[in-house]
Amino acid sequence: MSFTQNKLAVITGAADGIGWATAQCLELDGWDIALLDMNKELATHRASSLGPRHSAWECDVTQPEQVKECILGIKAKYGHIDALVNNAGIGDQTLPTLEQDIQAFDRVLSVHLKGAFLMSQQVLSVMNQQPRDPKGVRGSIVNIGSIASFGGIPGRNAYCAAKAGVLGITRAMASEWARRGIRINAVAPGYVKTALVAKLAQQGALNESAINLRTPMGRMAEPSEVGQVIAFLVSSSASYVTGAVLPVDGGWMALGAPDSAMGPIETA
Ligand code: NDP
């Protein structure tokens, strides 16, 4: 089978949540998808449900050798990489600062920050060898920030540091690679209904109705609502967008008043 026709997107943490939703959005837009995850079984199941052009790759994004091997394998199979979505992520420990564990702190930084760096490094070296499209673009990367990139969440030291850092990497790499035709952007989602959020709710670290009240749109996002914005950022419609951070947060960051200023959430 030839894999030369469609564009190819690499998505990390693609077996579930926002990553999986993004894979589905991109598939609808005609992309081939390489789904990377630590959970090979689920990633394989997801890839087969999308169709034979799509593939699953076992990869812990914190491990330089695994990342390198994986990107080499993808390059060998498809011949090109047109988009990378650095989505893999984990939640933070839910303990007060004085009780926090340094290894858990390191792991959160490692998955979100080092993972995005290692993946980008390998993918940039592939994109850098590719021809430009008519707008001069060789490829693009989307990183996943958060409302925690901007505002502090008490106790989530590592997560807030990692998500602020993700924006730093986005801007640094966007500036470095713009003249080489590689666009690098970020989305900053608010609360999204995924396993990560369900786990926090189970641990009592997150209250859904309080979040709905604090969100101007009065609800959490569906994963596909983030996936659609990522699909826009990697598309040719965003050919002049780089170094941008696009909030996908139902108005969370726009609000500068108490919840009560917005009135009740309308249900119909
Ligand atoms: P999920 O937990 O639903 O999915 C994350 C996926 O990433 C899982 O399949 C997970 O595998 C995988 N993963 C975890 N660690 C690694 C790793 N080291 N290497 C490769 N894959 C890994 O999370 P979400 O979809 O909610 O989150 C996706 C991204 O969006 C994260 O970066 C998160 O911080 C960010 N985000 C999420 C928000 C939300 O409200 N949900 C809000 C703002 C940002 P496994 O299940 O095996 O751990």
Side-chain angles (χ1 to χ4, degrees), residues 189-211:
Y191 287 88
V192 187
K193 286 189 174 174
T194 66
L196 188 147
V197 157
K199 196 171 162 197
L200 288 172
Q202 251 174 17
Q203 292 166 341
L206 184 150
N207 175 334
E208 183 168 350
S209 26
I211 284 163

Side-chain angles (χ1 to χ4, degrees), residues 12-20 36-39 42 59-63 86-91 107 110-112 144-148 159 163 187-197 200 206 220 223 226:
T12 67
D16 211 359
I18 294 169
W20 170 229
L36 274 58
D37 208 286
M38 291 202 302
N39 187 339
L42 186 55
C59 182
D60 177 343
V61 296
T62 66
Q63 301 302 311
N86 279 315
N87 165 80
I90 56 172
R107 180 71 189 163
S110 190
V111 174
H112 292 270
I144 316 294
S146 163
I147 50 176
Y159 192 80
K163 289 305 191 188
V187 291
Y191 287 88
V192 187
K193 286 189 174 174
T194 66
L196 188 147
V197 157
L200 288 172
L206 184 150
M220 291 193 192
V226 181

Side-chain angles (χ1 to χ4, degrees), residues 94-110:
T94 52
L95 290 168
T97 298
L98 298 185
E99 293 164 33
Q100 285 183 5
D101 173 56
I102 185 64
Q103 281 174 342
F105 183 93
D106 279 347
R107 180 71 189 163
V108 171
L109 284 176
S110 190

Side-chain angles (χ1 to χ4, degrees), residues 158-225:
Y159 192 80
C160 289
K163 289 305 191 188
V166 162
L167 302 195
I169 282 193
T170 302
R171 292 175 181 130
M173 286 194 186
S175 308
E176 181 185 350
W177 288 90
R179 292 192 181 184
R180 300 290 310 161
I182 300 170
R183 302 184 299 102
I184 301 162
N185 295 291
V187 291
Y191 287 88
V192 187
K193 286 189 174 174
T194 66
L196 188 147
V197 157
K199 196 171 162 197
L200 288 172
Q202 251 174 17
Q203 292 166 341
L206 184 150
N207 175 334
E208 183 168 350
S209 26
I211 284 163
N212 290 344
L213 278 178
R214 170 64 180 77
T215 305
M217 286 183 71
R219 65 174 176 85
M220 291 193 192
E222 296 297 331
S224 62
E225 293 180 298

